[in-house]
Amino acid sequence: MCLSHRTRRVPPSLYTRNPMASQSQSSFQALLSLLRYARGYRRRIIAAGSCSIINKLFDIAPEILIGIAIDVVVNKEQSFVAAMGFNTPQQQILALGVLTFFIWAGESIFEYLHLIMWRNLGQVLQADLRQDAYDHVQRLDMAFFESRSSGQLVSIINDDVNQLERFLDGGANNLIQVFVTVVAVGGVFLAISPFIALLAFTPIPIIVWGAFFFLKRANPLYADVREKVGGLASRLANNIGGIATIKSFTAEAQESERLREASDAYVQANRKAIAVSSAFIPVIRMAILAGFLATFTVGGLQALSGELNAGAYGVLVFLTQRLLWPLTNLAQTVDLFERAMASTRRILGVIETPIDVRDEGSHSLPQPVRGEVDFQNVSFEYAAGAGGVENVNLQVKAGSTLALVGATGSGKSTLIKLLLRFYRPRQGSILVDGVPIEQLPLKELRGAIGLVSQDVFLFEGSIRENIAYGRPTASEEEIIAAARTAEAWEFIARLPEGLDTPVGERGVKLSGGQRQRLSLARALLKDPPILVLDEATSAVDNETEAAIQRSLKHIAHGRTVVMIAHRLSTIVHADNIVVVDHGKVVEQGDHRQLLERKGMYWSQWQVQTGGEAEVETVFS
C-alpha cells in the first residue's frame, strides 16, 4: 500500500479551468486546483497518505496499552487480557511487552515511509510545477512580459514553488494525522464512555472554528506577503542588473534605501500575518485545557465510584492528551498551509494565463524558402493605446533588402514583432512565401528568420555556445565561418581561450561592439532565408559599424534582409526604403527617389549630412 509509483503529471491544458481565476481563490479552492494539477500523482499521494494514517494509528496504540497494563496490575486474573488466554499477570505483562515492541517497530517503519514519500513527492511535484510554469511562460505573449517584472516571475517560479514544497514536506502529513487522531481516539472514547467522550470532544468545534476564522483572516494577509516577496525580488534583480548605472551615478545610498523600503514592506506584511496566527494559539490551548480537565476530573470521580474501570480511566486520560495537545500545533500547520496555498494561487495563476498567439499552424513553407514577405492591410495597437501600426501594406521581394526608417515609436519595430508573431495583428495578414504566418508552426516561422537587435542578449557561457545557440550541433568550422563573416573572428582569436572564452552574465565581459558581432554571427550560423536587423548598428562604434556593413554585403546575397536604422548612411543601398510615421507608411522608394521627393526622408538626410531642414520634420 505504501509503495512508490512513478507517474506522469497532467499537462496544463487538461487542468486549466478559468484562466487567472486562481488569483482570487480561497485556500480550499486553491487546494482543489492543486489536487487537479497533481492527479497524475494520485497513487503516490494515496501511498504517502496511507503511510501517514498507519503511522498515527501505531502512535496512538501505546497509550491504549498503558491503560490495559494498569488493568492487568489492578485486576490481575480478572483483567481484559486474561480473557484472551493469558492466565497469569506475568504472562499478560510479557504479552503486552511483545505487542509494544511490534507496535513501536511498526510506528518507526511507517514514520520512515511517510517521511520519505512526502518529501520525495514534494521534490518531484515542485520540480514539475516549476518546469510547467517556466514552459508556459516561454509560450506566453510578449505583452505578458511587458506588464510584469522579471523579479516577480522569478519569485513565483522559484520562491513560491519552494513554499509549496515546504508544506508537502511536513504540513500535509500533519493535517492527515490530526484528522486520523480525532477519528481514532473518538472511536475509543465512544466505546469506553460516551459521556466522557462528549466532554472531551466539546472543545474541538471551538478549535475548528478558530482554524477557519484564522484561514479567513490570514488569506489576504498571506497573499500580500507573497506580493511583497515578488516586489523585493524585483528590486534586487533590477539593482543587480543595473549595478554599473548605480555606480556611475553614485546612487548606492539611494538604492540601498529603496531596498530597505521594499524589505520593510515585506516585514510589515509578515508581521500582520504573524499577529493573526499567534493569537490563534492561546485560544486553542485554553480550549484544550477545558477538554483535558473534563476527562481528568469526571473520569477520575467515576473511577473512584466504581463506575469506570481503572485501566479504562488511564486510557481516557492518556488519549485525551494524545488527542488535544497535538492540536496546539494546528496553528503552525494551518499557517504553513495558508502560505502554501497563497503560493499555489500565484503559481497556477501563471500556468493558467491564456496564450493569445498560439502555436497551432499546420502548414509548411514551400521549399526552398525564398523569403518573400507581404504585409497586407496590417493594423495593431498595444494595450492602453501605446502606439502600433495602421493599414500597413508592404511587399518585400525575395532576396531584396528593405529598410525601415522613422521616428522612435513610429511603428518600425512593431512590424518586426508582428512578423515574428510576438503579437497578433488586430486586422490584416502577413505572408511569407505566400503562406499566412498564423498557419505556420512557430518553430518553422521563426526558424526562417534571423534577428539581430540593438539590445543584444548573450547567455552566460562561452563564445562558442552563444554563436551556436540557434544550431547547437554546428561544427567548429561552421562556427568559425560565421564568426569570420560577422567580422568577429579577429577579436575572438586574440582571446586566450578563443571560442571557449566565458562571456559573463549578459555578455558583461565583452564590449558592446563585440557583443553585437557575436549576435550577428549567431544569426548567420542559423542561416535564415530572412535576416532582420533591428537598429543593429545604432549603439556601436564606427569601426564595428563599418565591419557590420562589410559583412552585410556578403550576408545579403541570396537572402531577404529587413533593416531598421536611424543612420541613413547604412541603408543607402537598400532596394526599398520605407518611411513610417505614427504607425503609417508615408513614403517608400530607393534612396535616390526619396531624396528627389524632398519629404521626411530628405529632411532627415539633410540633418545627418549637414544640410538644413525644418525641425518639425526631423526624426527623433
Side-chain angles (χ1 to χ4, degrees):
M1 175 162 48
C2 296
L3 298 178
S4 175
H5 296 273
R6 179 70 175 173
T7 54
R8 187 175 179 84
R9 66 188 184 279
V10 179
S13 60
L14 296 182
Y15 57 77
T16 298
R17 293 293 182 267
N18 183 16
M20 299 306 291
S22 56
Q23 296 300 329
S24 59
Q25 287 179 334
S26 70
S27 296
F28 290 107
Q29 288 173 323
L31 178 60
L32 292 176
S33 296
L34 178 62
L35 291 175
R36 281 198 299 269
Y37 172 87
R39 64 177 178 265
Y41 296 105
R42 186 174 298 163
R43 291 184 178 180
R44 299 181 68 163
I45 293 173
I46 292 173
S50 299
C51 289
S52 294
I53 293 171
I54 296 172
N55 168 254
K56 179 49 64 175
L57 293 176
F58 276 125
D59 183 50
I60 294 170
E63 275 70 19
I64 299 175
L65 292 179
I66 292 173
I68 295 174
I70 293 173
D71 180 57
V72 169
V73 172
V74 173
N75 296 315
K76 298 180 181 178
E77 285 81 1
Q78 305 300 319
S79 71
F80 171 77
V81 180
M84 298 181 180
F86 299 95
N87 298 322
T88 67
Q90 291 77 9
Q91 290 177 335
Q92 296 172 27
I93 293 296
L94 288 175
L96 290 176
V98 172
L99 184 58
T100 300
F101 170 81
F102 284 107
I103 286 174
W104 278 74
E107 179 190 357
S108 300
I109 291 171
F110 281 97
E111 181 164 5
Y112 167 78
L113 290 175
H114 84 66
L115 284 174
I116 197 170
M117 285 186 177
W118 280 117
R119 290 176 179 177
N120 285 336
L121 178 63
Q123 289 294 316
V124 179
L125 188 57
Q126 62 91 15
D128 285 344
L129 262 174
R130 182 180 292 110
Q131 189 67 48
D132 281 342
Y134 176 74
D135 289 345
H136 188 74
V137 164
Q138 288 194 123
R139 294 191 295 269
L140 288 172
D141 310 319
M142 292 301 295
F144 174 85
F145 300 96
E146 293 171 356
S147 62
R148 290 164 178 81
S149 71
S150 58
Q152 287 178 325
L153 289 175
V154 170
S155 174
I156 291 172
I157 295 175
N158 190 47
D159 190 58
D160 281 321
V161 170
N162 289 340
Q163 185 67 51
L164 178 60
E165 178 197 354
R166 285 190 283 273
F167 170 71
L168 292 173
D169 277 352
N173 171 71
N174 290 344
L175 286 177
I176 290 174
Q177 292 200 338
V178 165
F179 176 77
V180 171
T181 300
V182 171
V183 173
V185 172
V188 175
F189 265 64
L190 288 172
I192 295 175
S193 174
F195 177 67
I196 295 180
L198 177 63
L199 295 176
F201 276 73
T202 297
I204 290 182
I206 299 175
I207 296 171
V208 173
W209 173 85
F212 278 96
F213 177 79
F214 164 71
L215 282 175
K216 185 177 180 180
R217 292 286 304 276
N219 190 4
L221 297 178
Y222 283 120
D224 186 47
V225 168
R226 302 318 307 163
E227 286 299 317
K228 293 300 187 293
V229 169
L232 184 58
S234 179
R235 171 61 61 186
L236 284 168
N238 188 62
N239 284 13
I240 292 173
I243 193 66
T245 303
I246 293 173
K247 286 179 174 294
S248 68
F249 282 90
T250 61
E252 291 90 343
Q254 174 183 323
E255 293 304 328
S256 179
E257 182 60 30
R258 288 184 177 180
L259 179 63
R260 184 177 292 107
E261 290 175 0
S263 183
D264 287 345
Y266 172 59
V267 170
Q268 291 299 324
N270 251 318
R271 183 172 294 164
K272 293 178 182 178
I274 291 170
V276 174
S277 63
S278 298
F280 180 52
I281 297 175
V283 175
I284 298 304
R285 290 181 67 89
M286 294 309 297
I288 288 170
L289 177 60
F292 180 76
L293 286 176
T295 304
F296 185 79
T297 56
V298 175
L301 292 173
Q302 287 187 350
L304 289 173
S305 66
E307 298 177 50
L308 187 67
N309 182 284
Y313 173 61
V315 170
L316 291 179
V317 171
F318 286 120
L319 284 184
T320 301
Q321 189 173 11
R322 176 64 69 182
L323 167 68
L324 296 177
W325 286 114
L327 293 176
T328 57
N329 295 324
L330 186 61
Q332 288 89 339
T333 302
V334 173
D335 181 89
L336 191 61
F337 170 76
E338 187 57 40
R339 289 177 182 269
M341 292 307 101
S343 294
T344 297
R345 286 190 291 271
R346 282 160 53 90
I347 299 164
L348 296 183
V350 169
I351 294 178
E352 294 171 356
T353 301
I355 300 173
D356 185 41
V357 180
R358 294 190 171 274
D359 189 7
E360 297 176 337
S362 58
H363 291 66
S364 295
L365 289 169
Q367 297 298 321
V369 180
R370 296 181 298 111
E372 181 178 279
V373 180
D374 192 6
F375 290 82
Q376 297 181 352
N377 197 33
V378 173
S379 295
F380 170 79
E381 289 182 2
Y382 291 100
V389 294
E390 183 178 353
N391 298 324
V392 172
N393 288 280
L394 280 177
Q395 186 172 29
V396 188
K397 295 181 180 179
S400 67
T401 298
L402 169 72
L404 297 171
V405 298
T408 300
S410 61
K412 308 181 301 297
S413 294
T414 299
L415 292 174
I416 301 304
K417 293 174 182 177
L418 292 172
L419 174 61
L420 285 163
R421 287 202 75 204
F422 289 166
Y423 298 93
R424 185 175 61 177
R426 174 171 52 83
Q427 70 175 37
S429 183
I430 304 173
L431 292 80
V432 173
D433 287 353
V435 182
I437 59 174
E438 64 270 13
Q439 297 180 10
L440 295 171
L442 288 176
K443 186 176 181 63
E444 182 168 357
L445 170 66
R446 294 171 183 170
I449 302 172
L451 175 64
V452 181
S453 63
Q454 176 185 4
D455 184 18
V456 176
F457 188 96
L458 297 182
F459 294 89
E460 189 168 6
S462 67
I463 290 177
R464 181 195 308 274
E465 291 168 336
N466 274 278
I467 295 178
Y469 187 73
R471 282 182 58 199
T473 58
S475 65
E476 182 162 341
E477 291 75 15
E478 291 173 317
I479 294 173
I480 294 174
R484 289 186 186 279
T485 304
E487 300 212 10
W489 180 248
E490 183 178 351
F491 85 81
I492 294 174
R494 291 198 303 265
L495 296 172
E497 298 179 68
L499 286 171
D500 296 315
T501 302
V503 302
E505 187 177 6
R506 296 181 65 92
V508 69
K509 294 184 179 181
L510 304 177
S511 69
Q514 290 172 335
R515 291 196 296 269
Q516 194 65 267
R517 296 188 201 191
L518 290 186
S519 176
L520 182 58
R522 179 168 61 188
L524 292 178
L525 185 62
K526 185 179 176 181
D527 194 24
I530 302 171
L531 180 64
V532 176
L533 304 173
D534 189 355
E535 301 185 32
T537 62
S538 63
V540 298
D541 54 70
N542 292 332
E543 179 185 352
T544 301
E545 180 184 353
I548 292 176
Q549 291 302 317
R550 289 193 300 269
S551 301
L552 288 176
K553 293 180 180 179
H554 303 287
I555 295 167
H557 181 70
R559 193 191 313 269
T560 301
V561 179
V562 179
M563 303 174 61
I564 295 177
H566 278 133
R567 298 181 188 178
L568 302 186
S569 60
T570 64
I571 61 167
V572 294
H573 299 297
D575 298 302
N576 189 24
I577 300 172
V578 173
V579 181
V580 183
D581 185 45
H582 292 92
K584 296 181 179 180
V585 174
V586 294
E587 292 180 349
Q588 63 177 305
D590 61 27
H591 175 69
R592 183 179 298 276
Q593 291 171 337
L594 292 177
L595 288 181
E596 291 175 351
R597 292 176 188 170
K598 294 190 175 181
M600 296 184 70
Y601 182 84
W602 175 84
S603 298
Q604 180 66 3
W605 179 261
Q606 292 294 99
V607 171
Q608 293 189 10
T609 57
E612 296 182 357
E614 294 295 328
V615 176
E616 290 81 9
T617 62
V618 177
F619 300 137
S620 59

